[in-house]
Structure formats: structure tokens, C-alpha cells
Amino acid sequence: MTEPHPPAERDRTAELVVVANRLPVDRIADGDDEGGWRRSPGGLVTALEPVMRRADGAWVGWPGQPDIEVEPFEFEGTHLVPVALSADEVEKYYEGMSNDTFWPLYHDVIAEPRYRRVWWDAYVRVNRRFAEATAAIAAPGGTVWVQDYQLQLVPQMLRDARPDLTIGYFHHIPFPAYGLYSQLPWRRQVLEGLLGADVIGFQRVADAGNFARAVRRQLRYETKASGITVPNPDGSTRRALARAFPISIDASSYIELARRPDVRARAQEIRESLGNPKKILLGVDRLDYTKGIRHRMKAFGELLEDGRISVEDVTLVQVASPSRERVEAYMQLRDEIELTVGRINGDFDTMDHTAIRYLHQAYPREEMVALFLAADVMLVTALRDGMNLVAKEYVASRIDNRGVLVLSEFAGAADELPSAIRINPHDIDGMKDAIMRAIDMPAAEQGRRMRALRKKVIEADVARWSRSFLDALDDARRQRHGERAQA
Ligand code: GDG
């Protein structure tokens, strides 16, 4: 195995550097106009695009394929700095430590986290590589914004290398209660890594609270409201801020799509191709064990069994986009879900109607919005979810103020969307009743609730999210400079 080369030194000119596991681009077949790269469809890219264009911005991340060395390049106004990963590192740092240790641990151990020392070693090594690549390009006194649980050690590594920088970190997934977090053999190192940041952002107030508790219990640092007093190596202290910045979507782009005649026509076509059922229920998730897809299907299957609904009247469309297919727990989940779909459909389908239309595929955004418009009831039944953007996308798309959102209280979105029908996905009877209530909801009540939901999602959109995080970082920078001037 060949060890990738360290990142090339480049002038330190980037005033704002985003550091994320993935670059905001995907590689496409050679010979394309844009030099073989295409903007990836992810939400983070949309969220940060305006910010990156405004500032002299750079983005540090992995290009998405193992063992490829790519020189830094410009893409749509952003300087992209690829960090190379070997196939062995993808397996240990990404599929192992990130997706088979941190992901299940931070989602309340829904699946059993595996603790493997060789994964941790690779995680440290790769985090260091990201930190070095960032230190090499950030302008003196510049700002760095690190994204998510794959890179929790980067803030402190970066602070050690470049104490002049202002560093932010945003955690997209939940932060668990201390009783669970404390399982982590490297619990101390991870907290110290995160506390290298001046601002540590979480989805929910509860996540920020869990983090502060872990810091108190494990490191004995003092915490007050959202401030944490962190000792410096020279014996002085500094303040880190840990609080909630709930992420959102670019609501206007969903509204625009929902208005397009071709998208609306497609929504109608979808209804017809399902045999014009009275009600269409919809689930859209990455195929992940945190999303509660099995619980949802159990509730739906029982409703059919109980005779409270029939396949002539109600169809469930489940888009389960392929995800992390090389991780064992995901292979198992796929088997279980596909067995369940097969059983339910086998028991209840007729020649003309299907109970569950299951789609293990990814679709373009237009198709997603057409599905949102076709769906009378959106089912978000996550067992644990940092935010859940799908809930917000459904709401934004319903420009007709119709449709019902059934939303798990274990998704971060539940804090902001009280007008949804709230459920506990572990309570199957409760979920069945909630689904029936959604199916039977009169149009006037749908309108009342949907208007309240839409107001919230349109007000608190993703531009506001990134602005408020960067404002908090600006405050932190000013505070640091003030402190330094006084010292
Ligand atoms: C993590 C946290 C947090 C899905 N299938 C297709 C498709 N999608 C899009 C959705 C949505 C996104 O992917 C998924 O975002 P979620 O928020 O629902 O969930 P995670 O992927 O688990 O994201 C989560 C998020 O980070 C942001 O901080 O909210 O809690 O787990 O935008 O629409 N998009 C298209 N085709 C698909 O087939 N086009």
C-alpha cells in the first residue's frame, strides 16, 4: 500500500476555509466540459455556496474515490483542496470509525458500535492530514469551519498548528447522553479535539447540553450557559461557545420546483400510475437504521392487517436511497427491510394495487418534489436523527398548503415544527393512530397546520443558518482579539 503524499504547501490566502469529509463535487467520466467534476447534490453544498463565493473561500475534502491524487483546483468560484485517502483508510477511518463507531454510538446505540483500535489510529491519522491541508491554505487570522463527526479532532489539531485562526465546528448528528458517550474508549481525546474550536454548533439544545455535560464530567471544565472555560497550555484560559444552530434547507429552491408545471404534471402522473389511491403515504430516507423504516412498515402492515386501511385506498411509497453499502449493519438492514416489504406486499397486493412501492434508488430533485406533491402524508419516523431535512423539504414543497407531516419526536426537526403530528416511533400503536389521524385529517386542519409549518421553514432557511453560525464565529474572533489586546 502506498501512503498518500502530504498536501502541497500553498499560499495562505483563504479567508474562509470549509473542511468536510467530502469535497462539494463528484467525479464524472472524463471528457466533460467542467473538467471531470460535477457539483454534488448535497444540502451542505447549497447551504455554503453563497458564503463561499462571497469570501475568498476554499473547501478541503476527500474527492470520494480511494487512491486518487488530485491537485487543488478551482470549481465555480471556489478553491478546492483534495485530501487523498487510501483504500485502507477509507475502510478504517470512514467505513469503520466514522460509520460503524461514531454513527451508531451518537444515535443512541440503535446498532451496536464497534470499537477497534486500528480504526481509531486511522481516524487520528486522517484527521491530521485534513488539519495539515487546512493549515497550509488558511490566511493569517482567517476563519475555518469544520463539518461533522468524521473530523472531530481537526479543531484542536488546527489550533495547535495555527493559533491565529478562528475555528468553528458544526455537528450534523446528535450528541448522545453521557451514559452512552462514556462507552467511547477515546472519549477524552474527542472532547479535547472538539474544544479546539471557538464555536461548537449542534442541531438541538439537548445535543449542546449533552456535550457540555460530557465536558464537565470527563474534563472537569467549567461550563456556564453555552460558554465553556478551556485551559490553554500556558495556564491562561479561553472561552468556547457550544450551542444549537438548527440547520435548514434552501426553501425557495423547493418552492420554485413545486411551481414548475412539469413537476406538477409529474406529481399527477405518479398518482395515476399508483392506481389513483385515495391517499398516498410517503417515506424518503437514506437506507439507514436510524430512520425507523422498519417501525414505519410494521405500523403500516398492521393497519392493513387490522382492516383499518386497504390497498385500494392507501399506498405507501418508500424511497430508500442506497447508503454505506459496504458496512455490514447496512447490508443486514437492507435484507430485513426487503424481506418485510416482500411479506407485506405478498399478503396484501392485488393485481391492480400494491401496498408498498419500494424504491431502492436515488432520484433527481425534481422527482423528489413531484413525490412530495403527490403525497398526502409524509412519514418521518426516525429513531434518532440530528435534524432530518426531508421533513423540511416536504413542508417547503407544499405550496398548496395541503398534506400532513407525521414527525418523530426523536428528529431534531421536531423542536422547530410543533404543528406536525408528533409520534414516538417505538410506540407502534401510537404510530398507527397517528397515521390514521393523518389519513383522515380534514382539509381545513391540514391547511392550518401546513401554513404554520411553512412559515417556520421559510423564515429559518439555510441562509439564516450559515449566517448565524458565521456571525457567532465573528463574535468569537472579536472577543479573542479584545482579550489579546488586554493581555
Ligand atoms: C445528516 C443527518 C441532518 C435522500 N434521498 C434522495 C435525496 N435525498 C436527500 C434528501 C435530503 C438529504 O438527502 C438527506 O438529509 P437528511 O437530513 O434527511 O438525513 P442525513 O442524510 O442522515 O443527513 C441529518 C443532515 O445531516 C444535515 O445536517 O439533518 O439529521 O443525519 O436533502 O432530500 N435527494 C435526491 N434523491 C434521493 O434519492 N435528490
Side-chain angles (χ1 to χ4, degrees), residues 19-41:
V19 192
N21 174 58
R22 284 284 277 108
L23 281 176
V25 291
D26 295 319
R27 195 155 204 192
I28 43 176
D30 289 335
D32 186 88
D33 293 351
E34 284 161 356
W37 299 92
R38 173 177 54 204
R39 193 143 82 92
S40 27

Side-chain angles (χ1 to χ4, degrees), residues 43-74:
L44 188 62
V45 186
T46 323
L48 297 177
E49 197 206 341
V51 184
M52 300 301 288
R53 286 195 178 184
R54 190 203 63 195
D56 189 357
W59 188 307
V60 176
W62 174 45
Q65 288 170 15
D67 293 317
I68 56 164
E69 293 274 347
V70 187
E71 287 302 311
F73 60 102
E74 301 296 319

Side-chain angles (χ1 to χ4, degrees), residues 103 172 203 286 291 321 362-363 385-390 393:
W103 182 268
H172 290 256
Q203 301 279 27
R286 275 189 308 99
K291 304 291 182 183
S321 43
Y363 291 95
D385 212 335
M387 175 55 63
N388 196 289
L389 296 179
V390 171
E393 291 164 0

Side-chain angles (χ1 to χ4, degrees), residues 41 43 103 107 148 170 172-174 203 247 249 254 284-286 288 290-291 319 321 324 361-365 368 372 385-391 393:
W103 182 268
H107 287 88
D148 227 0
F170 186 75
H172 290 256
I173 67 174
Q203 301 279 27
I247 200 170
I249 58 162
Y254 283 87
V284 171
D285 314 81
R286 275 189 308 99
D288 195 294
T290 59
K291 304 291 182 183
V319 175
S321 43
R324 304 178 188 171
Q361 292 162 48
Y363 291 95
R365 251 238 240 150
M368 303 305 273
F372 290 149
D385 212 335
M387 175 55 63
N388 196 289
L389 296 179
V390 171
E393 291 164 0

